[in-house]
Short mmCIF file of all heavy atoms in Angstrom, two decimals:
data_model
loop_
_atom_site.label_atom_id
_atom_site.label_comp_id
_atom_site.label_asym_id
_atom_site.label_seq_id
_atom_site.Cartn_x
_atom_site.Cartn_y
_atom_site.Cartn_z
N ILE V 145 2.78 15.93 27.57
CA ILE V 145 3.87 15.22 26.92
C ILE V 145 4.15 13.89 27.63
O ILE V 145 4.35 12.86 26.99
CB ILE V 145 5.14 16.09 26.89
CG1 ILE V 145 4.92 17.32 26.01
CG2 ILE V 145 6.35 15.29 26.40
CD1 ILE V 145 6.01 18.37 26.12
N ALA V 146 4.15 13.92 28.95
CA ALA V 146 4.43 12.71 29.73
C ALA V 146 3.38 11.63 29.49
O ALA V 146 3.68 10.43 29.61
CB ALA V 146 4.51 13.06 31.21
N ALA V 147 2.16 12.03 29.15
CA ALA V 147 1.08 11.07 28.95
C ALA V 147 1.06 10.47 27.55
O ALA V 147 0.33 9.51 27.30
CB ALA V 147 -0.27 11.75 29.24
N VAL V 148 1.85 11.02 26.62
CA VAL V 148 1.88 10.51 25.26
C VAL V 148 2.71 9.22 25.23
O VAL V 148 3.85 9.20 25.70
CB VAL V 148 2.50 11.54 24.29
CG1 VAL V 148 2.64 10.94 22.89
CG2 VAL V 148 1.63 12.79 24.25
N PRO V 149 2.16 8.12 24.70
CA PRO V 149 2.92 6.87 24.64
C PRO V 149 4.26 7.07 23.94
O PRO V 149 4.35 7.78 22.93
CB PRO V 149 2.00 5.95 23.82
CG PRO V 149 0.63 6.50 24.03
CD PRO V 149 0.80 7.98 24.14
N ARG V 150 5.29 6.46 24.49
CA ARG V 150 6.63 6.65 23.94
C ARG V 150 6.73 6.14 22.50
O ARG V 150 7.56 6.61 21.72
CB ARG V 150 7.65 5.92 24.83
CG ARG V 150 9.10 6.21 24.49
CD ARG V 150 9.48 7.63 24.85
NE ARG V 150 10.55 8.13 23.98
CZ ARG V 150 11.19 9.27 24.16
NH1 ARG V 150 10.87 10.04 25.17
NH2 ARG V 150 12.14 9.67 23.34
N VAL V 151 5.88 5.19 22.14
CA VAL V 151 5.93 4.63 20.78
C VAL V 151 5.28 5.58 19.77
O VAL V 151 5.48 5.41 18.56
CB VAL V 151 5.23 3.26 20.72
CG1 VAL V 151 6.01 2.23 21.53
CG2 VAL V 151 3.79 3.35 21.21
N ASP V 152 4.52 6.56 20.23
CA ASP V 152 3.91 7.53 19.32
C ASP V 152 4.95 8.53 18.82
O ASP V 152 5.85 8.92 19.56
CB ASP V 152 2.82 8.33 20.04
CG ASP V 152 1.50 7.58 20.13
OD1 ASP V 152 1.50 6.35 19.98
OD2 ASP V 152 0.46 8.24 20.36
N LYS V 153 4.79 8.94 17.59
CA LYS V 153 5.50 10.14 17.14
C LYS V 153 4.82 11.33 17.82
O LYS V 153 3.60 11.36 17.96
CB LYS V 153 5.43 10.28 15.62
CG LYS V 153 6.19 9.20 14.86
CD LYS V 153 6.15 9.45 13.38
CE LYS V 153 6.90 8.37 12.60
NZ LYS V 153 8.33 8.33 12.93
N LEU V 154 5.62 12.29 18.24
CA LEU V 154 5.08 13.45 18.96
C LEU V 154 5.41 14.72 18.19
O LEU V 154 6.57 14.96 17.84
CB LEU V 154 5.67 13.53 20.37
CG LEU V 154 5.35 14.78 21.19
CD1 LEU V 154 3.86 14.87 21.48
CD2 LEU V 154 6.15 14.79 22.49
N VAL V 155 4.38 15.53 17.93
CA VAL V 155 4.57 16.81 17.25
C VAL V 155 3.82 17.88 18.05
O VAL V 155 2.60 17.79 18.23
CB VAL V 155 4.04 16.79 15.80
CG1 VAL V 155 4.32 18.13 15.13
CG2 VAL V 155 4.66 15.65 15.01
N ILE V 156 4.56 18.86 18.56
CA ILE V 156 3.97 19.98 19.30
C ILE V 156 4.11 21.22 18.43
O ILE V 156 5.24 21.56 18.03
CB ILE V 156 4.68 20.19 20.65
CG1 ILE V 156 4.77 18.88 21.43
CG2 ILE V 156 3.97 21.25 21.48
CD1 ILE V 156 5.75 18.93 22.58
N LEU V 157 3.03 21.88 18.14
CA LEU V 157 3.13 23.02 17.22
C LEU V 157 2.11 24.09 17.59
O LEU V 157 1.05 23.81 18.13
CB LEU V 157 2.94 22.57 15.77
CG LEU V 157 1.63 21.99 15.29
CD1 LEU V 157 1.68 21.83 13.75
CD2 LEU V 157 1.30 20.65 15.90
N GLY V 158 2.53 25.34 17.32
CA GLY V 158 1.65 26.45 17.63
C GLY V 158 2.44 27.72 17.88
O GLY V 158 3.64 27.81 17.59
N ASP V 159 1.75 28.70 18.43
CA ASP V 159 2.33 30.00 18.74
C ASP V 159 2.81 29.96 20.19
O ASP V 159 2.01 30.00 21.13
CB ASP V 159 1.28 31.10 18.55
CG ASP V 159 1.84 32.49 18.74
OD1 ASP V 159 2.96 32.63 19.27
OD2 ASP V 159 1.16 33.46 18.36
N PHE V 160 4.13 29.89 20.38
CA PHE V 160 4.70 29.80 21.73
C PHE V 160 5.00 31.17 22.33
O PHE V 160 5.38 31.25 23.49
CB PHE V 160 5.98 28.96 21.70
CG PHE V 160 5.74 27.48 21.64
CD1 PHE V 160 5.55 26.84 20.42
CD2 PHE V 160 5.69 26.73 22.80
CE1 PHE V 160 5.32 25.48 20.36
CE2 PHE V 160 5.47 25.36 22.74
CZ PHE V 160 5.28 24.73 21.52
N ASN V 161 4.85 32.24 21.53
CA ASN V 161 5.13 33.59 22.03
C ASN V 161 6.50 33.66 22.71
O ASN V 161 6.66 34.29 23.76
CB ASN V 161 4.02 34.05 22.99
CG ASN V 161 2.76 34.47 22.25
OD1 ASN V 161 2.81 35.32 21.36
ND2 ASN V 161 1.64 33.86 22.57
N THR V 162 7.48 33.00 22.13
CA THR V 162 8.83 32.98 22.68
C THR V 162 9.85 33.18 21.58
O THR V 162 9.59 32.90 20.42
CB THR V 162 9.15 31.62 23.35
OG1 THR V 162 9.31 30.63 22.33
CG2 THR V 162 8.08 31.19 24.31
#
Side-chain angles (χ1 to χ4, degrees):
I145 294 169
V148 175
R150 189 70 208 189
V151 294
D152 279 19
K153 293 183 180 297
L154 173 64
V155 183
I156 309 165
L157 65 171
D159 185 346
F160 282 86
N161 283 306
T162 71

